[in-house]
């Protein structure tokens, strides 16, 4: 079996759902269920009877992690758990340092103790896969080449600094202790189940409600977008065939300015929804004060994972964005529960007071 952390969040839940489309290998899912964790994302697994167990807890809780490792004896640990929103890291960096850095450290130590007791064959086959971000590389000028795995780390926000620190720990646990680690550094994701504090779902839902669309600064900051299902297939491929100690950049060659993204959403809504506002949904765009330290451009050079592991994304940004928009339109109940906060009571409603869901 595999142990996934943070698997009730956006990417983690997509990964677990995607896993069971390709495997019947059991998953234990350790998630603290912060505001970003939503067990409802995994509801389909309950219906299908997939061998999935959600355990509410912290990656920094060494006793709990040790117990899960001892009881379930995973062949791999995949670490998605993190505080992930840059704006929140500006308002309150402490949780970012605590989970992304301290939590990853404690998880690595618990995993190292477990791994060191495995038989030779099991230890060689074991993998610790750390899910990270392109934001650790800092910001690019308009004509700079895209980030490669050799680009020096230069994080600029409390979020990216805490992720960069976690990547360094993971690297050191390989070099010093020979723990067989893999790290992926992926560009901005979008797709189903993304919490509506991030750009794409926020803009879709505000537009549908005819609320202002707040674009930071001049809207010319560039992100390199990848559909979450392509990120999940990259992680599966790296787990399967990645070389221990290596890092892999993941991206889909889809650089877009924020204004292009928001205009694209507005254009789709003009055609998908009846009675668009006068002047179209674009008329809702408002330029607002910029984010402090706002990175100007990210771009991923994904040649290593493409050439070494044969991974290719299957969505274009245009089809991925349209499908994502349609997903949000079709899942108004999920959206309603996220917005009202009712999703935070999912565990109690569905599993009583038990902290662990089958
Ligand atoms: P998310 O915020 O949607 O989900 C994070 C999950 O981790 C939540 O379910 C939360 O409850 C859980 N969590 C938080 N602290 C925890 C702790 N101490 N112990 C256990 N669980 C905890 O984030 P996401 O967008 O799904 O990102 C997942 C990972 O992918 C993160 O490591 C992030 O840095 C990385 N990443 C994200 C993107 C992106 O565009 N969203 C891009 C590249 C990499
Ligand atoms: P975000 O989704 O927060 O991801 P990240 O900061 O990790 O790249 O933001 C994506 C881009 O969109 C980023 O340049 C900031 C910008 N943005 C806005 O212009 N308005 C918003 O309301 C938000 C949330 C983001």
């Amino acid at each position: 079996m595999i142990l996934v952390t943070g698997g009730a969040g956006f990417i983690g839940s997509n990964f677990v759902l995607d896993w069971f489309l390709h495997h019947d290998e059991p998953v234990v899912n350790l998630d603290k269920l912060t505001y970003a964790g939503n067990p409802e994302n995994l509801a389909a697994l309950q219906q299908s009877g997939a061998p999935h167990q959600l355990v509410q807890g912290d990656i920094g809780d060494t006793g709990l992690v040790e117990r899960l490792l001892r009881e379930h004896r995973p062949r791999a640990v995949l670490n998605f758990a993190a505080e992930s929103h840059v704006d929140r890291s500006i308002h309150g960096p402490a949780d970012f340092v605590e989970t992304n850095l301290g939590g990853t450290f404690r998880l690595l130590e618990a995993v190292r103790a477990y791994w060191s007791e495995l038989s030779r064959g099991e230890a060689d086959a074991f993998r610790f896969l750390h899910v990270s971000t392109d934001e650790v590389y800092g910001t690019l000028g308009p004509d700079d080449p895209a980030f490669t795995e050799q680009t020096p780390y230069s994080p600029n926000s409390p979020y990216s600094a805490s992720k960069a620190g976690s990547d360094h720990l993971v690297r050191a646990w390989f070099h010093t202790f020979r723990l067989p680690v893999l790290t992926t550094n992926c560009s901005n994701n979008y797709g189903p189940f993304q919490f509506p504090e991030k750009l794409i779902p926020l803009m879709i839902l505000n537009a549908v409600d005819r609320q202002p669309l707040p674009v930071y600064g001049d809207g010319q900051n560039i992100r390199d977008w990848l559909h979450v299902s392509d990120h999940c297939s990259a992680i599966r491929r790296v787990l399967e065939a990645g070389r221990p100690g290596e890092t892999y950049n993941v991206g889909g060659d889809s650089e877009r300015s924020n204004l292009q993204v928001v205009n694209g959403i507005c254009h789709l809504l003009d055609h998908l929804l009846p009675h668009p506002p006068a002047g179209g949904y674009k008329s809702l765009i408002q330029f607002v004060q910029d984010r402090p330290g706002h990175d100007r451009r990210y771009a991923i050079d994904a040649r290593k994972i493409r050439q070494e592991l044969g991974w290719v994304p299957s969505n274009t940004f245009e089809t991925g964005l349209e499908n994502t928009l349609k997903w949000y339109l079709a899942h108004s109940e999920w959206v309603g529960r996220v917005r009202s906060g009712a999703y935070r009571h999912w565990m109690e409603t569905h599993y009583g007071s038990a902290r662990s869901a089958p």
Side-chain angles (χ1 to χ4, degrees):
M1 56 80 62
I2 61 167
L3 175 65
V4 166
T5 73
F10 163 49
I11 302 174
S13 62
N14 274 283
F15 178 84
V16 173
L17 293 170
D18 181 73
W19 179 260
F20 288 115
L21 298 178
H22 299 90
H23 297 261
D24 50 17
E25 189 179 2
V27 174
V28 169
N29 185 348
L30 172 64
D31 195 298
K32 189 175 174 182
L33 300 182
T34 68
Y35 79 93
N38 185 350
E40 188 181 344
N41 298 357
L42 301 158
L45 299 178
Q46 241 186 313
Q47 281 131 37
S48 69
H52 167 257
Q53 185 186 351
L54 179 62
V55 178
Q56 183 171 8
D58 193 319
I59 55 168
D61 181 343
T62 301
L64 172 62
V65 174
E66 283 176 348
R67 180 171 69 72
L68 292 175
L69 292 169
R70 219 176 25 247
E71 278 176 15
H72 297 283
R73 301 188 59 78
R75 69 169 175 97
V77 174
L78 288 82
N79 185 30
F80 295 82
E83 290 292 336
S84 69
H85 188 39
V86 174
D87 292 323
R88 283 181 192 258
S89 82
I90 295 167
H91 295 294
D95 286 348
F96 288 72
V97 175
E98 186 48 48
T99 281
N100 300 359
L101 199 53
T104 302
F105 161 68
R106 285 187 278 278
L107 180 65
L108 277 168
E109 276 297 79
V111 169
R112 181 166 74 92
Y114 161 73
W115 169 76
S116 67
E117 309 261 289
L118 294 175
S119 69
R120 179 73 192 270
E122 286 172 330
D124 286 347
F126 182 83
R127 297 289 181 268
F128 181 92
L129 192 152
H130 181 60
V131 179
S132 192
T133 165
D134 61 353
E135 302 194 23
V136 297
Y137 297 121
T139 187
L140 292 170
D143 301 320
D144 288 339
F147 303 130
T148 70
E149 290 78 2
Q150 276 70 50
T151 303
Y153 274 31
S154 187
N156 291 319
S157 72
Y159 164 65
S160 55
S162 63
K163 289 296 291 186
S166 68
D167 293 8
H168 290 322
L169 292 177
V170 170
R171 174 191 159 86
W173 262 238
F174 174 74
H175 282 272
T176 303
F177 305 117
R178 309 316 288 176
L179 183 70
V181 305
L182 300 155
T183 299
T184 54
N185 293 92
C186 188
S187 60
N188 283 64
N189 281 213
Y190 66 98
F193 301 116
Q194 189 167 28
F195 197 79
E197 62 185 352
K198 304 278 169 69
L199 179 75
I200 288 180
L202 181 94
M203 294 296 169
I204 295 172
L205 299 181
N206 277 18
V208 169
D209 286 350
R210 303 200 176 200
Q211 294 297 310
L213 308 179
V215 173
Y216 298 161
D218 62 2
Q220 295 307 318
N221 301 66
I222 290 172
R223 298 292 182 264
D224 190 350
W225 293 95
L226 184 72
H227 192 272
V228 65
S229 61
D230 288 319
H231 188 187
C232 293
S233 71
I235 292 170
R236 270 192 289 107
R237 185 70 191 129
V238 170
L239 179 65
E240 184 177 58
R243 285 180 292 135
E246 293 291 316
T247 69
Y248 294 90
N249 282 357
V250 185
D253 292 323
S254 294
E255 286 184 60
R256 299 285 186 282
S257 72
N258 293 337
L259 202 53
Q260 282 176 314
V261 171
V262 178
N263 279 332
I265 291 168
C266 292
H267 182 73
L268 285 166
L269 286 174
D270 285 341
H271 291 88
L272 283 170
L273 293 183
H275 315 302
Y281 282 92
K282 257 167 56 170
S283 61
L284 299 171
I285 292 175
Q286 282 184 11
F287 291 93
V288 299
Q289 194 180 9
D290 209 353
R291 170 190 280 173
H294 194 178
D295 284 338
R296 194 68 177 163
R297 174 177 166 238
Y298 303 141
I300 278 278
D301 180 337
R303 273 178 295 183
K304 179 176 173 184
I305 188 171
R306 284 172 179 262
Q307 289 169 6
E308 207 176 279
L309 303 182
W311 171 82
V312 279
S314 52
N315 295 275
T316 65
F317 184 66
E318 283 63 36
T319 56
L321 185 65
E322 181 166 349
N323 291 338
T324 300
L325 194 148
K326 288 179 173 164
W327 187 90
Y328 279 93
L329 294 180
H331 289 79
S332 52
E333 288 184 6
W334 181 91
V335 168
R337 281 191 288 272
V338 166
R339 285 178 143 184
S340 71
Y343 76 104
R344 303 216 64 179
H345 307 300
W346 180 265
M347 289 293 270
E348 290 94 324
T349 313
H350 287 261
Y351 308 111
S353 56
R355 292 263 160 199
S356 174

